[in-house]
Amino acid sequence: MATVTTPDDVRNDPDPDGGGPLIVGKHTLASRLIVGTGRYDTMDQMRDSLAASGADCVTVAVRRERLYDREGRNILDFIDGDRYTLLPNTAGCFNAADAIRAAKLGREILRTLGNPGADWVKLEVLGDSKTLLPDPIETVAACRELVDDGFSVLCYTSDCPVTALKLKQAGAASVMPAGSPIGSGQGLLNINNLRIILEYLKDDDPDYPVIIDAGVGTASDVSDAFELGADGVLLNTAIAHARDPILMASAMKHAAIAGRQAYLAGRIPRKLYGTASSPTEGVISTRPYGSQA
Ligand SMILES: CC(=O)[C@@H](O)[C@H](O)COP(=O)(O)O
């Protein structure tokens, strides 16, 4: 599949992908979807779902992930290192010190695997175990320290524009506002805040990558995120807990392509009144009930 940036790309490729690569720091990802590896019933199901999603970057929780299943199989045996770039994440950390430790551990694991992505991390510092909303103060502190240590930090945050801006200023390679709480499947709860984040972070820096992370419930949430102007979407639960994860993974892939292409194509403005979509010139019409003389 070719990448799409112009109408000619679409004309020349009947099965195009979604709007050019996603570039985050030194990393270039062909797919704009990043998918998680947790919460699957089996590792085989996870492997097949990752493949169906079309993602070429997958994130693994350094701290929480059971590295071995009941049969003693390692999760990394189910993630093809030639096909996927691994993005370690600090899920399950509730303060900056734990998150920094997890990030460094992730870096060591990647180095051991000879992975070129050894310097990057998805930073997640939670502030509340019920909502799983991030702690903005600890997140900014951890982001600063990891950036100083040479990490390329993809930073999970809430949909607060002020925090998003502070994280960009702290050196985050990408800011990743939540659509809604992790695992909630509520989709994009505060479209206005997400719009403001996109404006604040991208207006004088259009290539700065903003990735919507968490809360996706179904495919239309992914399209919505891209149609708003997000550069990427990270999701996990909506695929892993779907009745048919592999089919949902495929739906997510197509939703990402559709949303990104619609964003690039430019939607029509919403209007209060109707406009005939068939030509009216030369048509003999009777005035419908209620119309003005
Ligand atoms: C995998 C991961 O990093 C999650 O913490 C992430 O935020 C995804 O959230 P959902 O499970 O709601 O898609």
Side-chain angles (χ1 to χ4, degrees):
M1 285 199 302
T3 57
V4 172
T5 47
T6 69
D8 276 343
D9 295 333
V10 178
R11 281 180 210 113
N12 295 333
D13 186 345
D15 186 18
D17 73 9
L22 170 60
I23 299 171
V24 183
K26 287 186 289 189
H27 299 268
T28 299
L29 306 174
S31 168
R32 288 174 176 267
L33 269 192
I34 300 176
V35 290
T37 51
R39 310 189 77 180
Y40 286 94
D41 283 346
T42 66
M43 292 207 194
D44 296 300
Q45 187 188 63
M46 178 200 76
R47 179 200 53 220
D48 295 345
S49 301
L50 299 186
S53 75
D56 57 341
C57 174
V58 299
T59 182
V60 178
V62 175
R63 195 163 167 270
R64 274 194 321 202
E65 194 62 65
R66 270 186 307 126
L67 283 181
Y68 293 91
D69 71 2
R70 278 189 290 274
E71 284 97 54
R73 300 179 302 177
N74 187 326
I75 186 173
L76 297 177
D77 295 338
F78 291 79
I79 302 173
D80 180 352
D82 293 332
R83 177 172 184 170
Y84 301 107
T85 302
L86 278 183
L87 171 62
N89 74 64
T90 65
C93 295
F94 282 82
N95 58 62
D98 280 356
I100 290 164
R101 204 172 305 119
K104 289 180 179 172
L105 191 56
R107 178 165 65 183
E108 291 315 310
I109 293 170
L110 289 186
R111 279 183 180 160
T112 313
L113 294 170
N115 195 307
D119 65 338
W120 75 342
V121 67
K122 181 200 143 176
L123 176 64
E124 192 176 303
V125 189
L126 303 179
D128 172 40
S129 59
K130 194 164 177 183
T131 61
L132 298 182
L133 288 172
D135 181 323
I137 296 165
E138 294 289 300
T139 303
V140 174
C143 181
R144 275 207 190 101
E145 196 164 329
L146 288 169
V147 168
D148 284 350
D149 194 12
F151 276 91
S152 188
V153 180
L154 287 74
C155 203
Y156 170 68
T157 183
S158 69
D159 56 24
C160 166
V162 176
T163 313
L165 199 52
K166 284 192 190 298
L167 289 168
K168 185 181 176 194
Q169 288 160 351
S174 170
V175 171
M176 307 174 86
S180 53
I182 295 170
S184 72
Q186 295 185 66
L188 310 187
L189 279 184
N190 195 336
I191 301 259
N192 289 341
N193 270 20
L194 294 173
R195 275 210 181 98
I196 295 169
I197 289 175
L198 287 161
E199 181 194 319
Y200 281 11
L201 270 51
K202 290 174 80 70
D203 251 13
D204 56 355
D205 186 5
D207 293 332
Y208 185 79
V210 176
I211 299 171
I212 307 283
D213 173 9
V216 164
T218 189
S220 54
D221 299 332
V222 170
S223 304
D224 285 347
F226 281 107
E227 286 179 40
L228 269 187
D231 299 277
V233 170
L234 191 156
L235 75 145
N236 187 163
T237 311
I239 295 177
H241 279 196
R243 191 171 58 242
D244 185 334
I246 299 168
L247 194 55
M248 184 58 89
S250 169
M252 296 302 187
K253 168 178 148 181
H254 290 102
I257 294 168
R260 178 69 182 170
Q261 289 188 2
Y263 171 73
L264 293 174
R267 62 154 298 132
I268 61 165
R270 290 185 172 86
K271 290 191 257 178
L272 187 56
Y273 298 108
T275 310
S277 48
S278 308
T280 49
E281 221 172 284
V283 175
I284 302 159
S285 67
T286 51
R287 192 155 36 85
Y289 174 78
S291 66
Q292 300 296 308

